[in-house]
């Protein structure tokens, strides 16, 4: 099976009780921050009451664009507030949601479209819109594509609308938060995309079951820097991202075989607990993990080619 394949047709990735749990938190902690996202260099926040309002508003807006029972919304891009709110709105409107790998293109993407038969799609990037337009040229049915990065246009059976087409009923203006305020709160960090098949479903399950605030980077390229802003208390990550994080940790240490690395390895694995704590704390600070308490598990995968440091592995939880 291709790494880009999705759940079978007809399987919705959203938890059945997603809307019920969202309403629970909006009633119980309406002013607590539910989602944070860095946009244009500034941290913006949605409270639970904002989430409730946006999901209801977007659900009605989707219905105006022909979305309802029997419709299927495909999501392609980063897992961040826009995708999350649209997914919940799609469920509120009576439809289904499926993630599509943001890197899929050409024949692979065309095959996914024919198999999944989405009626609507949200594509995050401008490059992604071009790939979808090309892949959708021979679709037997019309596809309505939303993107914040494109103007309205039509190509074959694919009609593109700017995301603003869903914003005619007073969208919530997210709060602007200084990064110092973000660092003072317990936060779950996620820097994943729709290429993680189970990612959206797992994110929604952990978020809606716990009521924790989730935070997301501005882009994949700025993820490490943005993570240092937040200093999250928990991470939701796929096995692939866990390997990337282990490689990032490795890069922060001295080169393998060097005298400095020998000293670091001795300190990390030797009897001097004080040095162990100092080096581990230094690496955590550089990676934005100084407050890290736990890892939320993701997709099962082979073990790391290079073991992650013990302090990282010890925080990995078992799947609920």
């Amino acid at each position: 099976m291709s790494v880009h394949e999705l759940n079978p047709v007809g399987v919705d990735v959203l938890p059945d009780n997603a809307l019920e749990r969202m309403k629970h938190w909006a009633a119980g902690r309406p002013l607590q921050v539910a989602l944070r996202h860095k946009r244009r260099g500034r941290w913006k926040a949605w409270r639970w009451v904002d989430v409730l309002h946006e999901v209801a508003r977007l659900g009605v807006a989707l219905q105006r664009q022909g979305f309802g029972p029997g419709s299927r919304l495909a999501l392609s891009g980063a897992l961040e507030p826009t995708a999350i709110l649209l997914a919940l709105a799609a469920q509120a409107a009576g439809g289904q949601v499926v993630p599509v790998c943001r890197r899929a293109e050409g024949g692979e993407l065309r095959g996914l479209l024919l198999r999944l038969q989405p009626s609507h799609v949200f594509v995050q990037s401008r490059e992604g819109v071009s790939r979808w337009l090309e892949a959708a040229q021979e679709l037997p049915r019309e596809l309505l594509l939303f993107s914040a990065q494109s103007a309205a246009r039509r190509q074959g059976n694919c009609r593109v609308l700017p995301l603003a087409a869903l914003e005619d009923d007073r969208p919530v203006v997210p709060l602007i938060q200084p990064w110092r305020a973000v660092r003072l709160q317990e936060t779950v960090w996620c820097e994943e995309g729709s290429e993680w098949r189970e990612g959206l479903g797992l994110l929604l399950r952990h978020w809606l079951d716990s009521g924790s605030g989730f935070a997301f980077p501005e882009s994949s390229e700025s993820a490490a820097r943005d993570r240092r802003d937040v200093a999250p208390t928990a991470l939701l990550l796929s096995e692939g991202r866990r390997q990337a994080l282990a490689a990032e940790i490795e890069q922060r240490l001295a080169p393998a075989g060097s005298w400095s690395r020998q000293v670091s390895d001795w300190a990390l694995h030797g009897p001097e607990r004080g040095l162990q704590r100092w080096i581990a704390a230094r690496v955590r600070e550089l990676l934005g993990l100084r407050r890290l308490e736990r890892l939320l598990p993701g997709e099962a995968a082979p073990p790391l080619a290079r073991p992650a440091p013990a302090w990282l592995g010890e925080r990995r939880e078992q799947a609920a």
Side-chain angles (χ1 to χ4, degrees):
M1 178 180 292
S2 166
V3 295
H4 299 324
E5 283 193 40
L6 310 172
N7 296 300
V9 172
V11 176
D12 194 347
V13 300
L14 270 65
D16 292 337
N17 66 344
L19 297 176
E20 177 186 338
R21 298 301 296 164
M22 176 195 67
K23 293 174 183 177
H24 167 79
W25 297 119
R29 49 179 74 170
L31 301 184
Q32 182 169 314
V33 172
L35 301 169
R36 296 178 182 86
H37 188 210
K38 197 171 190 181
R39 295 183 174 178
R40 298 182 180 180
R42 307 181 78 175
W43 283 102
K44 298 191 175 182
W46 291 257
R47 302 164 301 178
W48 281 107
V49 67
D50 299 328
V51 170
L52 181 68
H53 175 86
E54 277 296 88
V55 168
R57 184 189 67 79
L58 286 169
V60 172
L62 283 173
Q63 288 175 326
R64 289 175 180 165
Q65 297 295 339
F67 190 91
S71 300
R72 181 172 290 127
L73 174 67
L75 297 174
S76 176
L79 301 183
E80 45 86 19
T82 299
I84 292 167
L85 295 171
L86 280 172
L88 291 170
Q91 188 177 71
Q96 293 184 327
V97 178
V98 290
V100 176
C101 176
R102 54 181 163 176
R103 292 191 288 269
E105 59 183 334
E108 180 187 20
L109 181 55
R110 189 175 301 110
L112 287 172
L113 291 178
L114 290 171
R115 181 165 66 85
L116 294 170
Q117 299 183 20
S119 56
H120 299 66
V121 60
F122 168 67
V123 179
Q124 187 181 52
S125 70
R126 183 179 291 106
E127 298 78 9
V129 171
S130 298
R131 292 196 296 269
W132 277 75
L133 286 174
E134 180 183 353
Q137 286 182 2
E138 301 176 5
L139 286 181
R141 56 185 289 185
E142 182 171 275
L143 178 66
L144 184 55
L145 187 153
F146 300 104
S147 177
Q149 303 291 329
S150 293
R153 54 178 163 152
R154 176 184 284 276
Q155 183 171 314
N157 278 340
C158 188
R159 184 159 63 101
V160 179
L161 287 179
L163 195 60
L166 298 176
E167 296 182 353
D168 55 351
D169 287 335
R170 297 190 193 177
V172 165
V173 178
L175 305 174
I176 295 176
Q177 285 196 311
W179 67 269
R180 292 178 182 83
V182 178
R183 292 190 87 171
L184 294 176
Q185 300 162 351
E186 290 191 5
T187 305
V188 182
W189 180 256
C190 180
E191 51 190 73
E192 302 283 352
S194 57
E195 63 275 8
W196 184 17
R197 287 181 299 162
E198 290 81 6
L200 180 60
L202 281 170
L203 189 159
L204 287 167
R205 191 189 78 198
H206 285 294
W207 179 51
L208 295 171
D209 283 353
S210 68
S212 301
F214 269 66
F216 310 86
E218 184 161 11
S219 67
S220 298
E221 293 74 22
S222 68
R225 181 180 68 248
D226 297 342
R227 195 191 316 127
R228 287 194 294 272
D229 278 1
V230 174
T233 52
L235 301 180
L236 175 69
L237 71 172
S238 62
E239 189 60 34
R241 190 70 58 179
R242 184 168 178 260
Q243 291 188 36
L245 183 57
E248 196 175 343
I249 293 169
E250 179 76 15
Q251 292 171 6
R252 293 290 181 175
L253 299 173
S258 67
W259 179 83
S260 297
R261 181 56 177 271
Q262 292 178 36
V263 173
S264 296
D265 287 343
W266 173 82
L268 284 169
H269 304 294
E272 299 295 330
R273 304 297 295 178
L275 281 173
Q276 286 182 337
R277 286 194 295 270
W278 183 86
I279 291 177
R282 177 61 177 160
V283 173
R284 285 196 197 101
E285 185 69 32
L286 290 171
L287 296 176
L289 302 177
R290 66 176 180 81
R291 298 197 302 157
L292 185 66
E293 297 174 354
R294 57 201 172 104
L295 302 182
L296 302 179
E299 182 179 6
L304 295 174
R306 183 186 299 274
W311 61 265
L312 178 62
E314 286 168 0
R315 286 168 170 75
R316 185 168 178 81
E317 294 186 341
Q318 296 300 315

